[in-house]
Amino acid sequence: MKKLALTVVTLLSLTTAFAQNWTVDKSHSRVGFTVTHLMLTDVDGNFKTFDASITSSKPDLSDAVIELSADINSINTDNERRDGHLKSPDFFDTAKFPTLTFKSKSFQKVDGKKYKLTGDLTMHGVTKPVTLDAILTGPVSMDSPRGKTEKLGLKLSGTIKRTDFGVGSSNTSVVSDEVEIKAAGEFGKAQPK
């Protein structure tokens, strides 16, 4: 029994020792979306306030856990009136549901830099599984004033139905039910303390 306990402790400490934590560089990242207005033209938007991280214990990031959160009150479609309407109970109801979150469950390589990212998206108080296409570039090592750093890039795209999350009415013909998700992030490897 002692041998088993020692083996488990050793494995856990090795996993912790090799854990890689990557933090988002917000100045080089974006969390956005596109909807179709009046079934005629695309309207882009994004969330100005967000956070994201990647954690992995494998150097190739094949076991990566990707987490994202966005403050829905920071929604920006370049139109204050529309942004106010999106925050209202007609759509996001940010007074009750101010945050959008995503946590991955799997990150599977498809080919080359292409992956399938599956996880739970929570929005408007509803959690649903979603699958997104991902492109992972890097990691690359680079010199900086603080010494060597490692960076990587992650692009995500996919489509969800807003009514699956209770956002807006299914009777709304002003805005498409399908919402295209588009996110791109630059991440830096956290240095061990």
Side-chain angles (χ1 to χ4, degrees):
M1 186 67 174
K2 286 183 182 179
K3 199 172 196 177
L4 177 62
L6 182 58
T7 302
V8 169
V9 168
T10 302
L11 286 173
L12 287 173
S13 59
L14 284 174
T15 301
T16 304
F18 292 112
Q20 304 174 70
N21 296 308
W22 301 82
T23 56
V24 70
D25 176 349
K26 294 176 189 175
S27 65
H28 296 104
S29 304
R30 181 177 172 91
V31 177
F33 59 89
T34 300
V35 296
T36 304
H37 180 253
L38 293 177
M39 306 309 148
L40 296 172
T41 187
D42 287 347
V43 174
D44 295 325
N46 68 340
F47 298 102
K48 294 286 191 185
T49 305
F50 62 90
D51 201 6
S53 65
I54 301 173
T55 306
S56 175
S57 62
K58 295 183 180 179
D60 67 356
L61 297 153
S62 59
D63 66 341
V65 174
I66 298 160
E67 296 185 65
L68 172 112
S69 64
D71 176 2
I72 297 176
N73 279 301
S74 72
I75 198 166
N76 176 29
T77 63
D78 290 328
N79 183 298
E80 285 184 35
R81 185 174 169 201
R82 178 172 50 224
D83 295 345
H85 189 207
L86 290 171
K87 294 175 194 179
S88 78
D90 289 346
F91 285 94
F92 284 107
D93 197 359
T94 58
K96 289 182 186 173
F97 309 107
T99 307
L100 169 152
T101 61
F102 174 83
K103 183 170 183 179
S104 70
K105 291 190 169 188
S106 73
F107 188 62
Q108 296 182 330
K109 190 169 199 161
V110 175
D111 182 40
K113 298 176 182 181
K114 296 179 181 178
Y115 291 76
K116 283 290 182 191
L117 176 64
T118 305
D120 288 333
L121 175 64
T122 301
M123 182 169 54
H124 200 253
V126 177
T127 301
K128 297 261 184 192
V130 297
T131 300
L132 302 170
D133 294 318
I135 297 174
L136 179 68
T137 53
V140 295
S141 292
M142 43 194 349
D143 292 320
S144 77
R146 296 185 197 129
K148 277 218 178 283
T149 61
E150 286 187 75
K151 299 246 181 209
L152 63 82
L154 182 65
K155 291 181 186 176
L156 304 175
S157 61
T159 303
I160 62 168
K161 288 189 174 187
R162 62 178 173 75
T163 54
D164 286 350
F165 296 88
V167 176
S169 163
S170 59
N171 298 332
T172 301
S173 60
V174 175
V175 180
S176 61
D177 192 19
E178 289 193 343
V179 178
E180 185 182 350
I181 305 295
K182 299 183 283 189
E186 182 178 303
F187 292 80
K189 189 174 184 181
Q191 299 301 316
K193 294 179 181 181

